[in-house]
């Protein structure tokens, strides 16, 4: 952000303006335009569970066990007390829904949830209610229905399993920084001073996926983030190291059942 004087103005943390602990309601919501805030929210935790909903742009959420991208029509659910950090694109507009412990039967693990159009509109309506306003029967009824609906939303497999194991973490960091890197499992085994067999076994043990499936999931997660931030299919396919945009589209359609253009148009 540039101030009127032409000097860069320091952006503030979103939690400087909003703290979920300000309210004891079963659920509260807030809308945030990240042109006004820092793009990175360092690792933190709060007693409330949190649903991150992307209205525009994309956000990457990281926990010890995984990396999530918030795509259209979905939200990332983070249970209360779980340490996490968020990285948003410069064009991101988000809605946060904070849910008090035991207020709803929601997953105990971080996951991506589908968000129906009705639920999305209810969250946005709740975000219009001031956090410090007096309790209201109408809002209370809306929150109860909202939480009942949220508990019914199906889980989507749009995460990248992560690991704190030093060798898997090193490969993850390298491929997140340079996703077009096409080194094979044999190459990576040599890079981290392991045998191919040992690395193959370790990858499945730590992530639940073979190396090939894990790398495809990494490409999908990065593609969702970049496409949501406005990048073209051609640019994303090139950045991920695909020989052609067609090859990338085939991978995307196989994973999500539709092409990138139709996915984001919907």
């Amino acid at each position: 952000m540039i101030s009127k004087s032409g000097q860069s103005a320091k952006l503030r943390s979103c939690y400087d303006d909003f703290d979920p602990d300000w309210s004891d309601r079963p659920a509260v919501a807030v809308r945030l335009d990240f042109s006004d805030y820092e793009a990175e929210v360092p690792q933190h935790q709060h007693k409330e569970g949190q649903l991150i909903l992307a209205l525009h742009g994309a956000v990457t959420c990281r926990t010890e066990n995984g990396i999530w991208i918030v795509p259209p029509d979905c939200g990332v659910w983070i249970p209360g007390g779980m340490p996490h950090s968020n990285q948003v694109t410069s064009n991101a507009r988000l809605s946060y829904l904070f849910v008090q412990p035991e207020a709803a039967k929601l997953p105990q693990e971080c996951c991506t949830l589908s968000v129906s159009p009705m639920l999305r509109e209810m969250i946005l309506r709740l975000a219009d209610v001031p956090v410090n306003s007096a309790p209201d029967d109408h809002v209370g009824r809306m929150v109860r229905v909202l939480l009942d609906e949220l508990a019914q939303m199906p889980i989507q497999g749009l995460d990248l399993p992560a690991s704190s194991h030093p060798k898997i973490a090193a490969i993850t960091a390298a491929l997140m920084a340079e996703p077009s890197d096409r080194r094979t499992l044999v190459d990576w085994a040599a890079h981290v001073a392991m045998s191919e067999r040992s690395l193959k076994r370790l990858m499945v043990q730590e992530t639940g996926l073979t190396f090939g499936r894990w790398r495809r999931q990494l490409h999908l997660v990065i593609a969702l983030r970049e496409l949501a931030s406005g990048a073209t299919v051609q640019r994303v396919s090139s950045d991920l190291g695909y020989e052609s945009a067609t090859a990338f589209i085939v991978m995307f359609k196989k994973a999500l059942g539709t092409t990138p253009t139709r996915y984001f148009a919907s």
Side-chain angles (χ1 to χ4, degrees):
M1 175 180 289
I2 304 297
S3 66
K4 291 181 180 179
S5 65
Q7 296 180 334
S8 296
K10 182 174 180 174
L11 297 175
R12 60 194 185 280
S13 166
C14 61
Y15 288 107
D16 291 342
D17 294 338
F18 177 79
D19 185 337
D21 292 334
W22 290 349
S23 175
D24 58 1
R25 290 181 188 166
V28 295
V30 61
R31 277 191 251 200
L32 298 168
D33 185 334
F34 272 81
S35 63
D36 299 326
Y37 298 102
E38 293 175 339
E40 183 171 3
V41 181
Q43 188 174 85
H44 64 289
Q45 62 188 77
H46 28 75
K47 65 182 180 66
E48 299 85 2
Q50 180 183 10
L51 182 74
I52 303 176
L53 186 66
L55 309 177
H56 192 263
V59 55
T60 306
C61 177
R62 294 172 181 259
T63 70
E64 181 181 2
N65 297 319
I67 299 170
W68 283 261
I69 300 294
V70 184
D73 299 324
C74 293
V76 168
W77 169 250
I78 306 163
M82 177 174 287
H84 60 283
S85 62
N86 299 328
Q87 179 78 39
V88 303
T89 56
S90 59
N91 64 339
R93 296 197 303 274
L94 310 179
S95 181
Y96 289 167
L97 175 72
F98 293 97
V99 180
Q100 292 287 347
E102 311 302 326
K105 293 182 179 179
L106 293 165
Q108 297 300 305
E109 300 293 335
C110 201
C111 60
T112 304
L113 296 174
S114 288
V115 175
S116 68
M118 183 181 79
L119 180 58
R120 173 189 170 100
E121 292 305 315
M122 293 179 74
I123 293 171
L124 297 181
R125 172 66 183 89
L126 184 60
D128 291 335
V129 178
V131 176
N132 57 359
S133 63
D136 177 273
D137 288 343
H138 170 69
V139 173
R141 289 191 297 270
M142 181 177 68
V143 167
R144 287 195 295 274
V145 174
L146 186 160
L147 293 178
D148 285 346
E149 283 294 308
L150 180 60
Q152 300 299 316
M153 293 295 105
I155 295 174
Q156 304 293 316
L158 294 175
D159 65 295
L160 176 70
S163 169
S164 58
H165 190 286
K167 295 186 185 294
I168 302 299
I171 295 172
T172 301
L175 284 174
M176 287 293 289
E178 190 57 62
S180 62
D181 190 329
R182 288 292 177 170
R183 276 182 281 182
T184 65
L185 183 65
V186 174
D187 298 327
W188 283 111
H191 180 74
V192 297
M194 294 182 74
S195 70
E196 178 188 3
R197 184 176 179 181
S198 295
L199 180 57
K200 182 178 181 180
R201 184 170 57 246
L202 181 65
M203 178 65 72
V204 174
Q205 176 184 312
E206 291 291 316
T207 71
L209 300 174
T210 64
F211 177 73
R213 288 185 60 198
W214 180 86
R215 179 156 60 182
R216 283 194 296 272
Q217 190 70 2
L218 177 141
H219 284 171
L220 180 63
V221 164
I222 292 175
L224 286 169
R225 180 189 66 194
E226 295 305 308
L227 292 168
S229 68
T232 64
V233 169
Q234 288 76 13
R235 176 183 161 189
V236 172
S237 63
S238 175
D239 289 347
L240 294 179
Y242 284 83
E243 293 181 357
S244 67
T246 300
F248 165 72
I249 292 170
V250 168
M251 181 279 293
F252 192 98
K253 188 173 182 179
K254 187 174 182 180
L256 297 179
T258 188
T259 64
T261 300
R262 290 177 179 173
Y263 184 83
F264 283 92
S266 66

